[in-house]
Amino acid sequence: MKDRRSTGMRLSQTETWLPQPDLARVDVGTVLQALSDPVRLRIVRLLDATGEGSCTTLDVPVKHSTVSHHLRTLRESGVLATRLVGNTRLSRLRKDELERRFPGLLTSVLAATPPVATPEPA
Amino acid sequence: MKDRRSTGMRLSQTETWLPQPDLARVDVGTVLQALSDPVRLRIVRLLDATGEGSCTTLDVPVKHSTVSHHLRTLRESGVLATRLVGNTRLSRLRKDELERRFPGLLTSVLAATPPVATPEPA
DNA sequence: CGATATTTACGACTGTCATCGAATAAGGTC
DNA sequence: GACCTTATTCGATGACAGTCGTAAATATCG
């Protein structure tokens, strides 16, 4: 129950969300494709750790416009949901829904341990 | 030291395998990348159903040279192993190894149900 | 209203990758 | 050895995707 005073407080009763696909209509290949990119996989891991994130808060080694592009890809593939709050857009993982649609998939990806270093010392 | 009788019998003691990566050194992103292609995902499903398959036995809508390319990709990413038997190469999923390295990953992918049809009726 | 911050949209470049066809290598058969 | 089958490799091509910069849209603050 939010109670806003004179200072700018957002009202949370009518939250707007960006359009997102029904996971029942999403193919597992689409999700795999979305998760296959290194930057996107990093975004997913960050969102899993922090809960929510936006274009500027996500620590990824690409420009903002590129982050926006990746967030769009992840959203359209059903991996994350984005809600508009004031000036920013906060994205989060659709963890529960994904777990129901593809049991164990996202869980196993997030639980994956990094490879033992240096495949070939060159 | 081949010992063949009149009828063509294969000897199974010295089986040769194509080189494959140590899964401990494989990143989950590499596997996701390998599984993200539609043709490769189909190959993986076919191999899961039939146990083993080769370039010609796999029913995929691309030419043999392309199948060979995909099999190579899947092998180098650690998804499948290939053993040479006579003139052909039989590939199979490294299911158990993958399950140990990325618990639940391949399982969830193979268990994934197809999407409910017609995302957009056009 | 102006100024700033956040994000997206658009256009362009670039690199990667899937695909094919032809050539090559290797196995098995006659 | 000649021949066919199987599979890979190579080069070329075409399409897609990741990246960036800039412009545009929206919201917040003064």
Side-chain angles (χ1 to χ4, degrees):
Chain A
M1 223 23 193
K2 301 252 169 209
D3 142 315
R4 62 263 181 250
R5 296 268 189 283
S6 51
T7 60
M9 283 199 82
R10 54 178 107 42
L11 41 147
S12 62
Q13 48 179 3
T14 54
E15 273 203 328
T16 45
W17 295 76
L18 265 54
Q20 48 181 274
D22 181 2
L23 281 185
R25 278 192 263 269
V26 173
D27 185 75
V28 66
T30 305
V31 176
L32 291 174
Q33 171 97 18
L35 298 178
S36 65
D37 182 82
V39 175
R40 285 196 291 264
L41 188 54
R42 173 141 227 268
I43 291 177
V44 168
R45 287 219 173 88
L46 288 174
L47 290 180
D48 178 58
T50 65
E52 272 182 336
S54 65
C55 223
T56 47
T57 66
L58 289 170
D59 182 27
V60 285
V62 289
K63 298 301 177 187
H64 287 170
S65 58
T66 306
V67 179
S68 178
H69 168 64
H70 283 310
L71 289 177
R72 175 193 176 98
T73 301
L74 287 168
R75 174 172 14 96
E76 291 181 343
S77 63
V79 176
L80 52 86
T82 305
R83 82 175 204 269
L84 289 73
V85 39
N87 200 7
T88 70
R89 282 111 191 252
L90 292 182
S91 299
R92 82 173 72 164
L93 288 178
R94 298 173 67 178
K95 215 170 176 180
D96 295 348
E97 295 176 82
L98 281 169
E99 182 62 26
R100 275 194 298 272
R101 176 68 178 92
F102 306 111
L105 179 56
L106 183 60
T107 304
S108 63
V109 171
L110 291 174
T113 59
V116 58
T118 174
E120 47 224 307
Chain B
M1 32 110 101
K2 312 214 149 244
D3 158 307
R4 55 267 187 252
R5 298 265 189 278
S6 49
T7 60
M9 285 192 79
R10 59 173 103 47
L11 42 148
S12 60
Q13 46 179 8
T14 55
E15 274 203 328
T16 44
W17 295 75
L18 264 53
Q20 48 181 271
D22 181 2
L23 281 186
R25 279 192 262 270
V26 173
D27 185 77
V28 66
T30 305
V31 177
L32 291 173
Q33 169 98 20
L35 297 178
S36 65
D37 181 82
V39 176
R40 284 196 291 265
L41 188 54
R42 172 143 228 268
I43 291 177
V44 167
R45 287 218 173 90
L46 287 174
L47 290 180
D48 177 59
T50 64
E52 272 181 336
S54 65
C55 224
T56 47
T57 66
L58 289 169
D59 182 26
V60 285
V62 289
K63 297 301 177 186
H64 287 170
S65 60
T66 305
V67 180
S68 177
H69 168 64
H70 285 310
L71 289 177
R72 175 193 177 99
T73 301
L74 288 168
R75 175 173 11 97
E76 291 180 344
S77 63
V79 177
L80 52 85
T82 306
R83 81 174 205 270
L84 289 74
V85 38
N87 199 11
T88 70
R89 282 112 192 256
L90 293 182
S91 299
R92 79 172 73 159
L93 288 178
R94 297 173 65 179
K95 216 170 177 181
D96 296 347
E97 294 176 84
L98 281 170
E99 182 61 25
R100 275 194 297 273
R101 177 68 178 92
F102 305 111
L105 180 56
L106 183 60
T107 304
S108 63
V109 172
L110 291 174
T113 60
V116 57
T118 173
E120 50 224 305

